[in-house]
Amino acid sequence: MKRIKAIYPGSFDPPTNGHLDLIERGSKIFDELVVAILRNPEKDPLFSVADRRKMLEAMTSGFDNVSVDTFDGLTVDYALRVEARAILRGIRAISDYEYELQMALMNRKLQPGLETVFMMPAEKYSYLSSRLVREVAQLGGSIECLVPDLVEQKLREKIDVAHKFANREQSAGKTPSEGKSKFRKKKL
Ligand code: PNS
């Protein structure tokens, strides 16, 4: 019987419990699952690709058939390179559907042999996104139960560094807009 390998591409900035939920579901239906982090030079991520990789590797260490990789360029080209037959994507709500449908159909046009498989995370994660996690964490809200402990810790470290940086700038008489802190620069 043919083994089915799938990739789960995304930004994972940062990875959340919703991502982990999907990885667990994917690991049960695919023989092999590669969590593939997009290296996107145009984006200004909160976490470096190396940091995201480390977090995802730690999060997925308990799954025998899951690995973590990075890629750039087209997702379909990467999928072909690693001999995957499917692209796994999560759909949380109807609002995700339009964008995901467009991507799936474009990917099908580019590579008709590759299937996109949509899975739904647990309901308790249906409102969860990396963007909201970043925003809530940056504004001092609790992100407990939304991300693994390791990710929460890394977020807190980032925020502490950003606050120290902002305080230093303020003491040096700079206005916040002059600063280079990612937390101010980042579009939420
Ligand atoms: O986690 P995200 O940001 O929703 O993931 C989006 C991602 C990485 C899957 C998408 O942007 C992507 O596939 N980018 C790679 C470039 C590409 O293949 N573009 C055409 C998509 S139809």
Side-chain angles (χ1 to χ4, degrees):
M1 217 171 75
K2 257 192 177 174
R3 288 175 61 80
I4 300 184
K5 181 174 183 176
I7 60 165
Y8 177 29
S11 307
F12 306 104
D13 185 33
T16 68
N17 282 342
H19 292 128
L20 188 57
D21 180 277
L22 214 74
I23 290 168
E24 186 173 356
R25 287 171 201 279
S27 77
K28 287 181 188 153
I29 64 162
F30 296 113
D31 296 300
E32 223 183 302
L33 182 65
V34 184
V35 181
I37 309 163
L38 176 67
R39 291 194 303 267
N40 188 349
E42 279 163 31
K43 270 201 176 175
D44 183 18
L46 179 56
F47 286 102
S48 68
V49 170
D51 277 347
R52 282 177 273 161
R53 185 179 192 147
K54 270 188 219 146
M55 288 188 271
L56 279 163
E57 278 172 351
M59 286 163 63
T60 57
S61 61
F63 301 104
D64 289 346
N65 60 345
V66 176
S67 59
V68 182
D69 196 7
T70 65
F71 76 103
D72 53 18
L74 286 173
T75 295
V76 291
D77 289 345
Y78 171 74
L80 237 58
R81 247 192 342 267
V82 297
E83 297 179 345
R85 289 173 57 201
I87 298 173
L88 172 66
R89 290 287 290 172
I91 289 201
R92 292 160 300 189
I94 291 288
S95 50
D96 283 339
Y97 180 72
E98 209 169 324
Y99 170 61
E100 293 297 335
L101 178 73
Q102 275 185 334
M103 272 209 303
L105 294 180
M106 179 60 83
N107 283 334
R108 180 181 283 167
K109 167 126 187 62
L110 293 168
Q111 202 48 252
L114 207 57
E115 287 300 334
T116 297
V117 176
F118 293 122
M119 294 184 86
M120 285 163 291
E123 279 158 66
K124 62 181 172 184
Y125 302 130
S126 59
Y127 63 94
L128 184 55
S129 71
S130 297
R131 186 184 65 82
L132 281 182
V133 165
R134 287 197 303 267
E135 183 170 323
V136 170
Q138 285 163 17
L139 297 174
S142 169
I143 48 166
E144 210 188 317
C145 302
L146 303 183
V147 294
D149 290 348
L150 165 87
V151 176
E152 187 176 350
Q153 191 190 320
K154 291 267 174 213
L155 269 164
R156 296 279 163 232
E157 281 167 19
K158 279 243 174 239
I159 289 162
D160 284 349
V161 169
H163 283 167
K164 275 184 199 141
F165 185 78
N167 289 341
R168 248 204 340 256
E169 276 182 346
Q170 254 169 11
S171 323
K174 285 187 185 171
T175 60
S177 58
E178 286 174 298
K180 288 203 165 54
S181 165
K182 185 143 282 174
F183 291 91
R184 262 178 268 106
K185 208 167 53 169
K186 191 125 199 118
K187 206 172 144 213
L188 295 169

